[in-house]
Amino acid sequence: MKTRYVTEMGMGVDVHGRNYTEAAERAVLDAIHHSSLHFFKPLNKTADDMLIDLIIGVPKPDQVDADRVAAALPYGTVTITVKEGGLEIPSDDGKDAIVIANAGIIVYLKD
């Protein structure tokens, strides 16, 4: 059995080039840059014991390099799901767009 300990949310943006992977990585970094986890020692666990569900939302999920985005998380075992979500704001001429990605990070530890 596993217990949820942390839920983090983040947003990442790629302003030029429609790079969905870059936006997704930035969303992950946004989510984790404001966290400091202090429950490992009292639970007799380490950061490597984390089981992490990473959920990414972007307008074009097939444009995301899921392995690269998962690698943005430095510890634990990561399972990534990329689904339709986020936002794309087209440029005036329609040749480019701002891509906004959302990340949800759920951290579990085995009991």
Side-chain angles (χ1 to χ4, degrees):
M1 186 168 166
K2 62 184 184 177
T3 300
R4 181 190 293 205
Y5 282 89
V6 178
T7 302
E8 292 282 351
M9 290 75 53
M11 182 190 78
V13 179
D14 180 61
V15 178
H16 295 289
R18 283 190 170 117
N19 190 324
Y20 297 90
T21 298
E22 190 76 28
E25 282 180 315
R26 290 175 179 166
V28 170
L29 295 176
D30 178 55
I32 66 172
H33 269 89
H34 303 286
S35 296
S36 182
L37 307 177
H38 297 278
F39 53 79
F40 297 112
K41 190 173 180 179
L43 295 173
N44 259 350
K45 304 284 185 180
T46 70
D48 290 321
D49 292 320
M50 292 187 294
L51 303 173
I52 303 169
D53 287 343
L54 172 57
I55 305 163
I56 299 293
V58 291
K60 296 182 181 174
D62 61 321
Q63 298 293 313
V64 173
D65 179 340
D67 291 334
R68 184 172 142 192
V69 175
L73 293 170
Y75 304 103
T77 301
V78 179
T79 302
I80 183 169
T81 303
V82 183
K83 56 170 63 178
E84 192 170 338
L87 182 64
E88 189 171 297
I89 303 170
S91 61
D92 288 341
D93 63 9
K95 294 180 181 177
D96 199 6
I98 297 170
V99 174
I100 302 173
N102 297 107
I105 302 172
I106 305 167
V107 176
Y108 300 89
L109 291 170
K110 289 183 181 177
D111 296 334

